[in-house]
């Protein structure tokens, strides 16, 4: 009883201190997958494969052109494989392709330029998060399968959200930050790829390499988005560098490990749960903003019955970086919001100065 009373008093004091600071944070909840760094990179004498920013990238280490044959490449997710290319569907990541077993007669390659400069840019191979986002139930996952990984994910989500809720004075909102460090056998998600490469499209033998990584840390915590200020027309004048800042995903938790913010093996998923239905949904936290139509487009819509408006809406996508503010950071008064674009923080925090 004394422990419960002590916890209640502590939370009240924290709430009073946060309110006094004048900070207000409109947040949503994130389920964060942090993948094993040691397993997120493969490298041999010719090629380097890396998983970061939810995608697989390749770097050519040689002075010769490397060809990747998509007809021989596969992506892995929780033990299931998916062809990166299927001629009947003309797209990556189609689960039906593995059932058809139809080989492609088309030559579809990714070409990686030789390393002849001072800086060698990475080449995009495929999206590694395509089966993660979606709605999970107590018996189904977005990929259609229900593996041991999914079972462990549901068990951990049940534990994390309950622990998060206990840190709310009213015991209703998920305001607490909780985490688990996992071994490979305990992991809740595994992703990987098998890549076939050669130095000639007509090669008789292709080198097959594989990359496979797993979630070593999972975190359930509040987050909000710090949106960059868009450059206005007057800001773009002249010839000086005027680079738009990235969107920052602020997480109220401790970082699971040190990482390069430009090459993060971490996926921050927007989490929304429905306890009564026994479901939760994981969504992307990539940020984009649609801009309204110009005056000319609106005028033209009067004469075209709105047809000119359909192609006049522009969408701006922002680079995203992840920042762990720390579990003890003062976020002030927390208010849950229904839309990721409504998350923000107002006020100034003097506690960290």
């Amino acid at each position: 009883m004394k422990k419960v009373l002590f916890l209640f008093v502590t939370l009240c004091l924290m709430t009073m201190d946060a309110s006094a600071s004048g900070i207000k944070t409109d947040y949503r909840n994130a389920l964060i997958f942090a993948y094993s760094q040691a397993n997120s990179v493969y490298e041999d004498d010719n090629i380097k494969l890396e998983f970061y920013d939810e995608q697989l990238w390749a770097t050519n280490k040689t002075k010769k052109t490397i060809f990747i044959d998509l007809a021989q490449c596969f992506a892995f997710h929780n033990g299931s494989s998916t062809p990166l290319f299927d001629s009947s569907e003309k797209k990556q990541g189609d689960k039906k392709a593995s059932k058809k077993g139809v080989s492609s007669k088309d030559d579809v390659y990714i070409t990686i330029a030789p390393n002849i400069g001072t800086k060698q840019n990475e080449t995009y191979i495929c999206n590694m998060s395509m089966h993660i986002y979606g709605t999970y139930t107590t018996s189904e996952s977005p990929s259609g399968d229900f593996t041991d990984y999914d079972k462990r994910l549901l068990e951990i989500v049940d534990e994390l959200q309950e622990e998060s809720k206990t840190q709310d004075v009213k015991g209703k909102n998920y305001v607490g930050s909780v985490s688990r460090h996992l071994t490979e056998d305990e992991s809740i998600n595994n992703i990987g790829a098998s890549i076939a490469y050669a130095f000639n499209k007509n090669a008789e033998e292709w080198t097959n390499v594989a990359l496979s990584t797993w979630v070593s840390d999972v975190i359930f915590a509040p987050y909000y988005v710090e949106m960059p200020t868009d450059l206005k027309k007057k800001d773009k004048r002249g010839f000086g560098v005027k680079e738009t800042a990235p969107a920052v995903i602020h997480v109220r938790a401790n970082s699971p490990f040190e990482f390069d913010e430009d090459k993060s093996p971490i996926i921050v998923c927007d989490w929304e749960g429905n306890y009564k239905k026994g479901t939760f949904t994981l969504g992307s936290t990539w940020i984009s903003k649609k801009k309204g139509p110009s005056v000319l487009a609106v005028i033209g819509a009067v004469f075209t019955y709105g047809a000119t408006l359909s192609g006049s809406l522009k969408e701006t996508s922002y680079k995203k970086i992840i920042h762990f503010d720390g579990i003890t950071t003062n976020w002030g008064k927390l208010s849950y919001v229904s839309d990721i674009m409504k998350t923000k923080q107002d006020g100034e925090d003097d506690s960290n100065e």
Side-chain angles (χ1 to χ4, degrees):
M1 183 67 184
K2 291 182 178 179
K3 290 183 178 179
V4 175
L5 181 61
F6 174 76
L7 178 62
F8 178 76
V9 173
T10 302
L11 289 171
C12 288
L13 291 173
M14 290 173 60
T15 303
M16 291 173 62
D17 178 66
S19 300
S21 68
I23 304 170
K24 179 183 176 183
T25 303
D26 297 323
Y27 77 97
R28 284 183 63 80
N29 291 108
L31 187 67
I32 300 164
F33 294 162
Y35 290 85
S36 169
Q37 287 183 301
N39 296 83
S40 295
V41 179
Y42 168 85
E43 193 168 3
D44 61 22
D45 293 337
N46 302 319
I47 195 171
K48 181 179 182 181
L49 300 176
E50 296 177 274
F51 162 67
Y52 62 85
D53 288 348
E54 307 182 22
Q55 298 160 340
L56 181 64
W57 303 84
T59 304
N60 189 345
K61 298 172 61 179
T62 75
K63 304 297 182 182
K64 298 180 291 184
T65 301
I66 286 180
F67 298 92
I68 292 179
D69 183 6
L70 289 182
Q72 301 185 60
C73 296
F74 301 86
F76 305 125
H77 178 256
N78 290 352
S80 298
S81 62
T82 305
L84 290 192
F85 175 80
D86 175 52
S87 61
S88 59
E89 296 292 340
K90 299 292 184 185
K91 65 179 180 179
Q92 295 177 187
D94 193 327
K95 187 169 182 272
K96 297 178 182 179
S98 60
K99 295 181 179 179
K100 295 172 184 176
V102 179
S103 60
S104 170
K105 293 181 180 179
D106 299 330
D107 293 326
V108 182
Y109 302 95
I110 294 177
T111 304
I112 308 179
N115 185 359
I116 56 176
T118 56
K119 176 176 172 54
Q120 181 71 357
N121 293 327
E122 297 85 357
T123 298
Y124 168 80
I125 303 299
C126 66
N127 186 339
M128 300 295 289
S129 61
M130 53 192 173
H131 292 308
I132 294 175
Y133 298 127
T135 299
Y136 293 76
T137 73
T138 53
S139 60
E140 290 181 306
S141 71
S143 64
D145 298 321
F146 196 69
T147 65
D148 289 338
Y149 289 96
D150 297 303
K151 294 175 185 177
R152 291 193 290 266
L153 172 61
L154 287 170
E155 291 172 357
I156 284 184
V157 165
D158 185 43
E159 294 176 6
L160 296 182
Q161 57 91 22
E162 283 296 329
E163 290 181 28
S164 174
K165 197 162 52 175
T166 60
Q167 298 182 41
D168 177 32
V169 175
K170 296 181 180 179
K172 294 182 178 180
N173 299 313
Y174 305 118
V175 299
S177 301
V178 287
S179 62
R180 293 285 189 278
H181 180 71
L182 308 173
T183 65
E184 187 172 2
D185 292 335
E186 297 169 335
S187 187
I188 56 176
N189 191 264
N190 181 291
I191 56 177
S194 175
I195 303 297
Y197 76 87
F199 295 105
N200 190 318
K201 286 184 179 181
N202 300 318
E204 295 183 1
E205 294 184 5
W206 290 73
T207 300
N208 290 280
V209 295
L211 174 73
S212 179
T213 186
W214 43 275
V215 172
S216 61
D217 295 87
V218 58
I219 302 170
F220 185 75
Y223 81 95
Y224 74 91
V225 181
E226 179 186 351
M227 291 294 295
T229 302
D230 290 328
L231 294 175
K232 298 179 180 179
K233 287 185 178 180
K234 64 177 182 178
D235 299 326
K236 297 179 181 180
R237 293 172 182 170
F239 299 101
V241 176
K242 302 174 180 68
E243 186 176 0
T244 301
V248 182
I249 306 296
H250 287 270
V251 182
R252 192 170 183 265
N254 296 328
S255 175
F257 43 68
E258 292 185 6
F259 61 92
D260 184 344
E261 67 179 20
D262 289 325
K263 291 187 176 182
S264 170
I266 296 174
I267 298 179
V268 179
C269 304
D270 180 77
W271 183 92
E272 191 164 14
N274 189 319
Y275 183 81
K276 293 182 179 180
K277 293 183 178 181
T279 65
F280 66 87
T281 300
L282 297 183
S284 172
T285 53
W286 286 100
I287 305 300
S288 62
K289 240 182 358 181
K290 287 186 177 180
K291 296 183 179 180
S294 64
V295 176
L296 290 177
V298 173
I299 296 174
V302 176
F303 301 97
T304 60
Y305 300 98
T308 57
L309 288 179
S310 60
S312 62
L313 296 178
K314 295 182 179 180
E315 187 169 6
T316 301
S317 297
Y318 296 91
K319 178 184 176 182
K320 179 184 74 173
I321 61 174
I322 303 167
H323 187 271
F324 287 87
D325 289 1
I327 198 170
T328 59
T329 299
N330 184 1
W331 273 20
K333 182 180 179 181
L334 298 177
S335 299
Y336 180 82
V337 292
S338 59
D339 187 341
I340 183 176
M341 296 303 293
K342 295 179 181 178
T343 62
K344 64 178 181 177
Q345 187 177 76
D346 296 320
E348 295 183 358
D349 187 356
D350 299 324
S351 62
N352 293 328
E353 293 183 358

